[in-house]
Amino acid sequence: MTRAKLRSWAALAPLLALAAVCHARLTPVEASQARLLLQAAAAATPAQQQCDARTSSWDYYPCYNATSTTPPPRVQSAGGPGDALPPCLPGRWAGDKPEQANCTAQPNPFLPKDGPKLVETSGGTGVSGGPTLGYRTGGAQDVENFRKAIEQDILPLPTDITYEGLIKQYYFDTSSNASQPCQDLFCPIYSLGLSPDPLRAAAAAASGGPPPEGEVFMAVGLDSGLKVEDFKRPTLHLVIVLDVSGSMGSPFDRFYYDSLGNPQNLTAAEANVTKIDIAKEVLQGILDQLRPDDIFSIVLFSDGACAPKHMGPVRCADIPALKKQIVADVNATSGTDFSAGLDMAVAELAACKACKNASMADVETRIMVISDEQPNLGDTSQEGLGGRLKSLADQGIFTTIIGVGLDFNSELAEAISKVKGALYFSVHSPGEFQQRLVQDFDFAVTPLVFDLALSVDPGSLAADGGNGWRILHVYGSPNPNDTALSSDGTVMRIDTLFPSPKTEQGIKGGVVLLRMAPPQGGSRPLQLAVGYTDREGRQYSTKRTVAFPQQAASAAAGGGSFFESSGVEKAVLLARYADMLEGWLVDQWKTVNQNKTVVVNATLCSAFPSEYCPSVDAAKAYGVASAPGGACELRSWLEPGACLLPVPVPVVVQLGQWERQSHKLEVLPQAKSAFSTFLPYLRSEMAAVQDPGLQQEVDVLNKLISI
């Protein structure tokens, strides 16, 4: 028998073996070969016989009445035997009068409909990017909501632009002062930088006054000795939770809730491509990344939830058929009960026998939510959803949020992604998932470092007015103000680090930045210690002494700049850029709603803004006023002649609800002045760090100045 014939018979091995057992007309050699093929197949995939039809197939029937305890009755179709949907479904999907034969006024939202062809994603690429890997933090993984809003002439929210989201698009080389290559799971690389605030420097030059002293920063490069060839993502136990609420049926480049007050004139193309279309494309793309031994489920939620695909191994599912069924069946419905989808996801994991007692060393258990984050039912509070996700994280169940659409609510995503193991992305157009997340999928579902804490020896810090270092702000951590200005030595906590590509340009998104105030004279070194935990719960720590270079002290006295690496220089540039844009947006939204103000926590009031801008009259420049409970507030956050201030977390929730309406893009005069002053600094730093990708930030400022 030829090899080709053997291969063709291998596909039919079970039938051939059965035929042999039943004494079919096979020669003894052929029957023996058939039995051997079947035995070999069974030996290669011993669990194949454990495939369960219930967990392997797509059963959409329960979703026709997702919140009912029983599905709608099955009826015989008019064309002959078989199942068909009744002309009017019971429950909320049927409209006000379910007994009527014509239910077109409010049809079953889960019924298929004709729509545009979706862009199918290809299979995932292998891990690449250099001999070893680096890390990036969790939380925001991009600022695409900000960029898309500017592009569409819509005013972004302050939470649309975050430093940790901004830096994920850039590479950072902080290794110039590293004594030797990293050989551990995680290595912090410290790099000092100093330069004057560009707005203050310009104001001083215009007035003929002395240049301001340089501001001091320290970059913490997130390096690793983990080799690329040694990286392997663990088996996934994954629940994909898809939002099918009414807002998901709106065009992906429009605000759904604008229909409440702002009329929209949509082209045919805009009306045909909806957020649910893009969400289904993302779901299909995720399926392409799964491996045979991964176990997954699909949950749909609106004001109820259902699981048309229960937890089961990928090898048991017909993925091509499943992708077609998703396109055919899933459509937008009514309300948005985020907690209902989360409840169903947890139930799916709880019912999975193979998922119980899984070791984090071998398995990643994750809930991946695809949504525009506009819940209007169930538990919609930051504290409630965030608390639930934190509780799940404590059990080893982590969360990914993939935001869909221009009106994706970054406020809610920011709040609930500040949880161990959590991160979020944004997707706004067909094919974007394939371009961005597919190549990064294995990294994005494999957190490797947890509970990272950076501490400074208390003797190095300024306590009770002493002459020591002061930590003013942390950039790049999802929780930047948790430990800044503390006197107990802990200056930074990061819940999670995810692997990130590393090239000759540096580590993609691989930096955290500390804004600091050095001791007078700059002679006292920093005694730094880092502690962290790996996936198996093992704890590690490293120590390092960082001295304040004499060149930095000289540069500070003369109003010059000093950077130990190109990475810290780029990190400082982007920190100032993010501060400026956040300050503008806070001020701009206050003109939309005068009742909303940014209140600074009482523990931080002494630093805002006096610690950041000691060379100006802070109270006069920013309009500092007292607020209840010892807190304080500023009249404005962006003043052209003053310093750039980081907006403390949490940023004010401007809309008072999770359902967003758009507002026309506007720029206050003082913001335009600040942007114009900042632009030459941005261009000069772009040339200094040799990163032409920063041109997109130049383009943003040019557009804002021109409005």
Side-chain angles (χ1 to χ4, degrees), residues 627-669:
C632 56
E633 55 186 292
L634 277 62
R635 178 192 66 242
S636 62
W637 283 83
L638 184 59
E639 290 293 333
C643 305
L644 295 168
L645 301 179
V647 179
V649 174
V651 174
V652 64
V653 177
Q654 296 286 354
L655 302 182
Q657 60 181 1
W658 301 127
E659 299 162 334
R660 292 185 61 182
Q661 286 183 269
S662 65
H663 186 82
K664 181 182 177 182
L665 181 62
E666 298 173 334
V667 183
L668 292 166

Side-chain angles (χ1 to χ4, degrees), residues 526-657:
L526 273 171
Q527 304 287 338
L528 298 171
V530 165
Y532 64 94
T533 304
D534 67 10
R535 288 184 65 88
E536 299 179 58
R538 293 175 295 201
Q539 296 181 342
Y540 302 85
S541 63
T542 62
K543 293 184 178 181
R544 173 83 182 274
T545 298
V546 177
F548 192 70
Q550 181 58 45
Q551 306 98 301
S554 301
S561 299
F562 169 82
F563 297 102
E564 287 189 311
S565 68
S566 64
V568 68
E569 187 168 4
K570 190 188 300 184
V572 170
L573 166 66
L574 292 173
R576 288 168 167 166
Y577 178 70
D579 285 346
M580 180 176 65
L581 292 174
E582 285 184 5
W584 156 56
L585 288 170
V586 169
D587 289 343
Q588 196 73 52
W589 275 103
K590 284 168 63 177
T591 67
V592 177
N593 188 342
Q594 295 288 345
N595 295 323
K596 297 294 183 181
T597 58
V598 176
V599 177
V600 180
N601 187 288
T603 60
L604 299 175
C605 280
S606 61
F608 280 94
S610 57
E611 292 281 356
Y612 294 91
C613 202
S615 59
V616 302
D617 185 339
K620 182 178 180 180
Y622 300 96
V624 180
S626 298
C632 56
E633 55 186 292
L634 277 62
R635 178 192 66 242
S636 62
W637 283 83
L638 184 59
E639 290 293 333
C643 305
L644 295 168
L645 301 179
V647 179
V649 174
V651 174
V652 64
V653 177
Q654 296 286 354
L655 302 182
Q657 60 181 1

Side-chain angles (χ1 to χ4, degrees), residues 89 117 159 185 246 324 442 451 464-465 516 519 528 548 551 640 648:
L89 296 171
K117 297 293 183 182
T159 45
L185 177 65
K324 292 179 181 178
D442 285 356
D451 304 321
D464 300 324
M516 314 170 77
L528 298 171
F548 192 70
Q551 306 98 301

Side-chain angles (χ1 to χ4, degrees), residues 27-41:
T27 67
V29 173
E30 290 173 334
S32 176
Q33 288 172 329
R35 289 191 180 92
L36 290 174
L37 287 170
L38 180 60
Q39 292 170 3

Side-chain angles (χ1 to χ4, degrees), residues 150 155-156 581 584-585 588 591 638 663-675 700-701 703-707:
I150 297 294
L155 185 65
L581 292 174
W584 156 56
L585 288 170
Q588 196 73 52
T591 67
L638 184 59
H663 186 82
K664 181 182 177 182
L665 181 62
E666 298 173 334
V667 183
L668 292 166
Q670 64 264 35
K672 285 188 180 183
S673 176
F675 297 160
V700 166
L701 291 188
K703 176 167 183 176
L704 295 177
I705 293 168
S706 67
I707 291 175

Side-chain angles (χ1 to χ4, degrees), residues 352-373:
C352 174
K353 294 181 180 179
C355 302
K356 298 183 185 300
N357 301 318
S359 168
M360 282 186 62
D362 305 312
V363 173
E364 171 76 4
T365 304
R366 185 164 288 270
I367 297 172
M368 192 170 286
V369 182
I370 309 171
S371 173
D372 59 0
E373 293 295 305

Side-chain angles (χ1 to χ4, degrees), residues 129 171-174 501-508:
Y171 288 82
F172 297 87
D173 181 6
T174 57
K502 180 163 56 173
T503 70
E504 65 278 359
Q505 296 176 290
I507 302 167
K508 190 174 185 181

